[in-house]
Amino acid sequence: MIGPIETVLGQILSMNLKELASKLGLSPTTVSRALNGYPEVNESTRERVVAAAKRYNYSPNTRAIRLATGRAMAVGHVIPIATRHEIVNPVFADFIAGAGETYSRNGYDMLLSVVSDDDEEGAYRDLKSRGAIDGIIVHGPNQNDPRIPLLRDIGLPFVVHGRSTGTTLPYSWLDVNNRRAFQRATEFLLDLGHTRIALINGLEFMDFAIRRRTGYVDALAARKLAADPALMFSDEMTEVAGYQAARAMLALPHPPTAFLVSSMISGMGVRRAIESLNLHMGREVSVIIHDDELSYLRNGAEVPIFTATRSSVREAGRLTAEMLLDLIANPGEGPKERLLEADLIIGQSTGPAPRKN
Amino acid sequence: MIGPIETVLGQILSMNLKELASKLGLSPTTVSRALNGYPEVNESTRERVVAAAKRYNYSPNTRAIRLATGRAMAVGHVIPIATRHEIVNPVFADFIAGAGETYSRNGYDMLLSVVSDDDEEGAYRDLKSRGAIDGIIVHGPNQNDPRIPLLRDIGLPFVVHGRSTGTTLPYSWLDVNNRRAFQRATEFLLDLGHTRIALINGLEFMDFAIRRRTGYVDALAARKLAADPALMFSDEMTEVAGYQAARAMLALPHPPTAFLVSSMISGMGVRRAIESLNLHMGREVSVIIHDDELSYLRNGAEVPIFTATRSSVREAGRLTAEMLLDLIANPGEGPKERLLEADLIIGQSTGPAPRKN
DNA sequence: AATCAGTTTCAAACCGCTTTGGACAAGTCA
DNA sequence: TGACTTGTCCAAAGCGGTTTGAAACTGATT
């Protein structure tokens, strides 16, 4: 009889190594080696084994491999749920899609842990001591992030997506040059003649938000302009928050003529605020956003709607995952760092500053 | 010496069962039983064991448990990446956050597989035959979804988030009553005097989109109104698609006075189209959206911006995961079904139909 | 013919837990 | 008193692979 065994229920029982070996008249050792590409097995034997494995639909039991090798062949991602505001970062989906591609390609599984943020440390320790994963990716680092020394202490290989200002320990990270991106964007607005430029930022304990603000402030300072606290806003990056902040600023006696906005979603709120006052984006008010190239929130079809600093978070996921697998495979090597530059792409949301009247 | 052993590298080596047992002068059998709550162990012994386990920071090796018990203690989620349009469904993040809470609470891991959609079948077979998971959740079912018979055939417990019109096999699912939700929304618009109601739907090979259209068509038919094909649009649910569809419809000789929109994101595009024509949502044009209560896309702060059919996808994640764990624990029981009703919440985006002039 | 190296194969130990089938002591019943 | 429970514990056999150390065979060398 050929092919996998069918039970009464129609379920396919995959056979195990011992069965396959006896079917071939070989020892499990040889079969295992043949399938795993070890040199000490005759080529013709290997071919027989490989053919039989395919014919009988054999695939080795992951649980057994993991126990035998001591490796989990899995990478963890911890999603902290803020107990206060319960927000799932919308860039997660795309980052994870990118990372997942890398894992699939390399035979790794991706383990997601959803954890309330006051229990994150416990989650890391648990994943490590249970031996559930070989490494982990750290999301959304804050200033002086405690997770970095923690992971170093418990000896779990990790790569940070982003960086942590204030951390002096060396660690592996991949980040977008957020400071440079917002510096360039600010310069671009200044070149267009804007001087009242508002910053609608994310939460400024997050590292990326700190760096973006620095870029913005630096660019202003280079032109001898001081950042106006009334034009700097920091909050959760939601549509509503963007709308409210922009409304409030546009109602100031001396309103901004341009907005630098930390995300596409906040940007849509800013746009709504502008249009609700019968103003026009790219005419009376200019807007630049940061575009993570989220797959479900494209910045326009062919023509970009927003002028934007752009960097694909999906690609970041792919690359960060590659760095981690590399780190796992070569534990001896030191930390790796990688800085991606964002593109500045010009859309329809920016134009010359309106003349004073 | 008290506490876990520290190596030169400062890594914490967690001890294993055998070591703990010998430290206690007991057999591994007894220690295992004491920790797992079996009755055949003296209470005082159990206390000693539990205390020692805590003191030495013992946590059993997941890999070994899995091999020994034959259970993976893990649930799979397959994220298909459409090779054509490469879109990650934005509701994934929140659904998974909800499901993840359930898994954590029950000691299960969540395994995410990112797979190109032409290879999804292979991914399921692989997960099953490797023994990597005990069950799986099916996302985004289409009409006559082939995954349902497939999973039944390979004998992998599963619950579908959504349903599959045309599938006659019984299977477990959890769904929102999409038909009823859109029927009620349409009735609400009809009651406000609207007769030209447009439908901006998702891709209509997706089951939820089919059901929503049915609800919409039924409600119109109940008032002896025929659905106008010119007012029915189906595409990816992006902001840009919503904008373009609404722009086009509003330019018709006999434009709609109301829009029924399948998602918050498309709804933002529709709103932009309306405002770009100097019309006002809730005045000249009414809009109802479906609100999945995505954490990063709240429908307004206190006051909802959009009138909406509302159903929390995060809660759906929690409940679907519970159903699956139940199914895994009680394989004998038949398929379970659960239909959630969406709320109709009234926001500022709907109002009476404008008088004809 | 004996020795040796190289190739190919295998038996058995091992990974760290669970679980089966006793063993042993103490208490109960006839 | 002997037979039977009951309570408590343990040795050993698993789960399904990988990996070590040795055996068997081949052909070449002395």
Side-chain angles (χ1 to χ4, degrees):
Chain A
M1 194 168 101
I2 288 174
I5 303 152
E6 296 252 345
T7 66
V8 190
L9 293 168
Q11 298 179 6
I12 293 163
L13 295 181
S14 45
M15 64 172 26
N16 62 24
L17 183 64
K18 210 202 288 185
E19 289 162 11
L20 180 63
S22 81
K23 208 144 264 211
L24 281 160
L26 289 169
S27 75
T29 309
T30 303
V31 176
S32 169
R33 286 186 162 150
L35 293 173
N36 290 314
Y38 282 77
E40 57 272 76
V41 45
N42 190 306
E43 262 324 305
S44 67
T45 309
R46 189 193 305 280
E47 279 163 27
R48 264 180 65 217
V49 171
V50 169
K54 176 178 282 180
R55 194 159 69 105
Y56 293 110
N57 195 24
Y58 168 74
S59 62
N61 184 304
T62 307
R63 298 191 284 260
I65 292 180
R66 287 176 176 168
L67 180 58
T69 59
R71 292 179 306 158
M73 292 305 286
V75 169
H77 288 245
V78 172
I79 303 194
I81 301 289
T83 34
R84 295 185 308 272
H85 40 265
E86 290 244 321
I87 286 218
V88 184
N89 190 332
V91 307
F92 263 148
D94 271 84
F95 184 90
I96 277 177
E101 290 174 33
T102 298
Y103 300 141
S104 304
R105 218 176 315 120
N106 292 278
Y108 273 75
D109 284 331
M110 170 161 56
L111 212 81
L112 234 66
S113 279
V114 177
V115 179
S116 96
D117 61 356
D118 52 4
D119 191 31
E120 210 176 331
E121 175 171 340
Y124 290 124
R125 289 189 182 280
D126 183 56
L127 285 168
K128 165 70 179 180
S129 67
R130 279 166 48 214
I133 54 173
D134 297 318
I136 202 163
I137 286 187
V138 173
H139 290 281
N142 301 331
Q143 198 165 15
N144 273 313
D145 202 299
R147 292 173 293 179
I148 293 171
L150 170 71
L151 288 168
R152 200 201 60 106
D153 285 351
I154 64 182
L156 190 56
F158 67 99
V159 178
V160 180
H161 177 216
R163 274 173 288 178
S164 174
T165 305
T167 299
T168 51
L169 286 169
Y171 60 93
S172 290
W173 53 263
L174 177 144
D175 199 4
V176 172
N177 196 340
N178 282 297
R179 191 193 52 68
R180 180 92 192 85
F182 266 40
Q183 188 176 18
R184 283 179 65 197
T186 308
E187 285 166 2
F188 180 76
L189 290 169
L190 289 166
D191 290 343
L192 284 169
H194 297 275
T195 51
R196 297 284 292 164
I197 302 174
L199 175 69
I200 310 290
N201 207 357
L203 290 166
E204 289 181 350
F205 55 80
M206 309 276 292
D207 194 79
F208 76 89
I210 299 172
R211 291 180 193 271
R212 287 180 185 174
R213 187 185 52 193
T214 305
Y216 160 83
V217 170
D218 286 358
L220 290 177
R223 307 273 175 114
K224 312 282 186 231
L225 290 170
D228 180 350
L231 297 187
M232 293 168 73
F233 175 80
S234 160
D235 196 359
E236 207 77 70
M237 299 187 288
T238 63
E239 202 266 359
V240 173
Y243 171 78
Q244 289 171 342
R247 276 293 290 223
M249 288 183 186
L250 289 170
L252 290 173
H254 194 19
T257 62
F259 286 88
L260 191 50
V261 185
S262 245
S263 88
M264 181 91 186
I265 294 180
S266 325
M268 291 170 77
V270 170
R271 177 173 70 195
R272 179 158 64 99
I274 292 169
E275 290 173 354
S276 73
L277 296 169
N278 285 318
L279 300 171
H280 302 84
M281 216 171 56
R283 303 233 296 272
E284 298 90 347
V285 185
S286 287
V287 175
I288 299 185
I289 63 154
H290 181 76
D291 177 8
D292 292 297
E293 295 196 62
L294 302 186
S295 57
Y296 54 92
L297 261 190
R298 290 280 174 221
N299 182 12
E302 287 85 44
V303 191
I305 298 170
F306 289 105
T307 295
T309 59
R310 186 165 70 184
S311 176
S312 163
V313 73
R314 179 127 163 208
E315 179 65 12
R318 268 191 283 266
L319 295 173
T320 310
E322 280 169 19
M323 285 175 69
L324 180 56
L325 296 188
D326 209 64
L327 206 63
I328 292 168
N330 312 87
E333 297 175 19
K336 302 257 184 296
E337 305 172 349
R338 179 138 185 202
L339 189 59
L340 306 176
E341 292 297 334
D343 295 327
L344 181 63
I345 61 154
I346 312 303
Q348 304 165 300
S349 66
T350 43
R355 297 273 172 77
K356 300 233 173 82
N357 43 356
Chain B
M1 191 168 97
I2 288 176
I5 303 152
E6 296 252 346
T7 67
V8 190
L9 294 167
Q11 299 178 6
I12 294 163
L13 294 181
S14 45
M15 64 171 27
N16 62 25
L17 183 65
K18 209 201 292 186
E19 289 161 12
L20 181 62
S22 82
K23 210 144 261 211
L24 282 160
L26 289 168
S27 76
T29 309
T30 303
V31 176
S32 168
R33 287 187 160 148
L35 293 174
N36 290 315
Y38 282 78
E40 58 270 77
V41 46
N42 189 306
E43 263 322 306
S44 68
T45 309
R46 190 193 305 281
E47 278 162 26
R48 265 180 64 218
V49 171
V50 169
K54 174 178 281 181
R55 195 159 69 103
Y56 292 111
N57 194 26
Y58 168 73
S59 62
N61 184 304
T62 307
R63 298 191 285 260
I65 292 180
R66 287 176 176 168
L67 180 57
T69 60
R71 293 181 304 158
M73 291 306 285
V75 168
H77 288 244
V78 172
I79 304 193
I81 300 291
T83 34
R84 296 185 307 272
H85 41 265
E86 289 243 323
I87 285 217
V88 185
N89 190 329
V91 307
F92 262 147
D94 271 85
F95 184 90
I96 276 176
E101 290 173 34
T102 298
Y103 300 141
S104 305
R105 220 177 312 121
N106 292 276
Y108 273 74
D109 283 332
M110 171 161 55
L111 211 81
L112 234 66
S113 278
V114 177
V115 179
S116 96
D117 61 356
D118 52 4
D119 191 29
E120 211 177 331
E121 174 171 339
Y124 291 124
R125 290 188 181 281
D126 183 57
L127 286 168
K128 165 70 180 181
S129 67
R130 279 165 48 213
I133 55 174
D134 297 318
I136 201 163
I137 286 189
V138 173
H139 291 280
N142 301 331
Q143 198 166 14
N144 273 312
D145 201 299
R147 292 173 291 179
I148 293 171
L150 170 70
L151 288 168
R152 201 201 59 107
D153 286 350
I154 64 181
L156 191 56
F158 67 99
V159 177
V160 180
H161 177 216
R163 275 173 288 176
S164 174
T165 305
T167 299
T168 51
L169 287 169
Y171 59 94
S172 291
W173 52 263
L174 177 144
D175 199 5
V176 173
N177 196 340
N178 283 297
R179 190 192 52 69
R180 179 93 192 86
F182 267 40
Q183 188 176 16
R184 283 178 64 197
T186 308
E187 285 165 2
F188 180 77
L189 290 169
L190 289 166
D191 290 343
L192 284 170
H194 297 275
T195 53
R196 298 283 293 163
I197 302 173
L199 175 69
I200 310 290
N201 207 357
L203 290 167
E204 289 181 350
F205 55 80
M206 310 276 291
D207 194 78
F208 77 89
I210 298 173
R211 291 180 194 273
R212 287 180 184 174
R213 189 185 50 195
T214 304
Y216 159 83
V217 170
D218 287 357
L220 291 176
R223 307 272 176 116
K224 313 283 186 227
L225 290 169
D228 181 350
L231 298 186
M232 293 168 71
F233 176 80
S234 160
D235 196 358
E236 208 76 72
M237 298 187 289
T238 63
E239 202 267 357
V240 173
Y243 171 78
Q244 289 172 342
R247 276 294 289 223
M249 288 184 186
L250 289 170
L252 289 173
H254 193 19
T257 62
F259 286 87
L260 191 50
V261 186
S262 245
S263 87
M264 181 89 186
I265 295 179
S266 325
M268 292 170 77
V270 171
R271 177 173 70 194
R272 179 159 64 98
I274 291 169
E275 291 173 354
S276 74
L277 295 169
N278 284 318
L279 300 171
H280 303 84
M281 217 171 53
R283 303 233 296 272
E284 297 90 346
V285 185
S286 288
V287 176
I288 300 185
I289 63 153
H290 181 76
D291 178 8
D292 292 298
E293 296 196 61
L294 301 186
S295 57
Y296 55 91
L297 260 190
R298 290 280 173 220
N299 182 12
E302 287 86 42
V303 190
I305 298 170
F306 288 105
T307 295
T309 58
R310 185 165 71 182
S311 176
S312 163
V313 73
R314 180 128 162 206
E315 179 65 12
R318 268 191 282 267
L319 295 173
T320 310
E322 281 169 18
M323 285 176 68
L324 181 56
L325 295 188
D326 209 63
L327 206 65
I328 292 169
N330 312 87
E333 297 175 20
K336 303 256 185 294
E337 305 172 347
R338 179 138 186 202
L339 190 59
L340 305 176
E341 292 298 334
D343 295 328
L344 181 62
I345 61 154
I346 312 303
Q348 303 165 300
S349 65
T350 43
R355 298 273 172 77
K356 300 232 172 85
N357 44 357

